[in-house]
């Protein structure tokens, strides 16, 4: 299938830093791996190389800390983080804090395609504590648009809680 126009025509108003993964996905999804699309494939490789999306290393200026907070009512399977379409993120560190009272965090990794989930952390915190999350004592993990990180927070006293994750975009 031929790409409508060329990828450069569709991105000519963007800078390298402002090209999103969704932009790339929208423009390249119609391209087939075929001889007829060789020029479109070569352009796609060049754009991906220029925007640091080929080697799986960190994309410059993409690291951020994602925070999910809840009040004394707690939460059940609340979405902490889901990458945008076409993105892949490395999750390398995390912490859990309670600002008053005691609470317990259950962190899950959910496969949004197959509707399966697995527990990746079980952490308690008391007033003023900020604890590192257990799964990050080992190397981190990567997630894409098909996955979400969910939090369930159980509160035993009046408290506010927050989970923070260090995320670096690799694609």
């Amino acid at each position: 299938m031929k790409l409508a126009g060329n990828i450069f025509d569709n991105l000519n108003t963007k800078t390298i830093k402002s090209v999103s993964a969704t932009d790339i996905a929208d423009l390249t999804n119609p391209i087939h791996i075929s001889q007829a699309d060789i020029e479109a494939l070569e352009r796609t490789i060049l754009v991906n190389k220029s925007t640091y999306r080929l080697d799986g290393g960190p994309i410059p200026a993409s690291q951020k800390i994602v925070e999910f907070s809840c009040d004394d009512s707690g939460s059940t399977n609340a979405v902490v983080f889901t990458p945008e379409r076409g993105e892949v993120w490395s999750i390398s560190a995390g912490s859990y804090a309670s600002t008053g009272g005691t609470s317990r965090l259950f962190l899950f990794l959910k496969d949004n395609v197959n509707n399966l989930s697995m527990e990746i952390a079980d952490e308690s915190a008391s007033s003023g504590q900020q604890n590192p999350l257990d799964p990050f004592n080992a190397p981190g993990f990567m997630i894409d648009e098909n996955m979400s990180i969910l939090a369930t927070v159980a509160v035993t006293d009046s408290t506010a809680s927050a989970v923070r994750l260090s995320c670096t975009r690799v694609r």
Side-chain angles (χ1 to χ4, degrees):
M1 175 180 199
K2 286 283 187 188
L3 178 65
N6 110 24
I7 196 166
F8 299 121
D9 294 339
N10 293 296
L11 295 174
N12 70 3
T13 60
K14 306 246 180 191
T15 64
I16 286 175
K17 187 175 179 176
S18 69
V19 175
S20 72
T22 302
D23 292 334
I24 300 296
D26 288 345
L27 292 171
T28 60
N29 279 346
I31 299 173
H32 288 233
I33 307 296
S34 70
Q35 185 66 34
D37 283 337
I38 193 81
E39 287 180 25
L41 290 167
E42 288 170 345
R43 289 182 190 123
T44 300
I45 289 168
L46 182 60
V47 168
N48 280 318
K49 190 174 184 180
S50 299
T51 54
Y52 307 101
R53 288 177 172 83
L54 284 184
D55 65 0
I59 294 177
S62 70
Q63 190 168 22
K64 64 182 179 179
I65 293 177
V66 174
E67 181 178 62
F68 168 76
S69 299
C70 69
D71 60 19
D72 62 359
S73 61
S75 70
T76 302
N77 292 334
V79 176
V80 176
F81 183 63
T82 303
E84 296 294 324
R85 188 168 159 239
E87 294 181 348
V88 177
W89 288 82
S90 173
I91 313 300
S92 58
S95 67
Y96 180 60
S98 176
T99 57
T102 303
S103 61
R104 187 169 179 187
L105 166 74
F106 299 93
L107 205 60
F108 299 91
L109 189 58
K110 181 180 181 199
D111 177 339
N112 297 314
V113 175
N114 297 304
N115 202 27
L116 298 171
S117 62
M118 59 187 258
E119 184 178 310
I120 58 172
D122 176 349
E123 187 69 47
S124 294
S126 297
S127 182
Q129 276 186 311
Q130 182 164 327
N131 299 329
L133 293 175
D134 287 340
F136 304 105
N137 290 335
F141 57 93
M142 291 189 199
I143 65 172
D144 66 14
E145 66 194 77
N146 295 326
M147 304 293 282
S148 293
I149 298 172
L150 307 179
T152 293
V153 177
V155 177
T156 54
D157 297 329
S158 179
T159 188
S161 304
V163 60
R164 293 183 180 123
L165 303 173
S166 173
C167 308
T168 305
R169 197 158 140 227
V170 296
R171 231 178 253 108

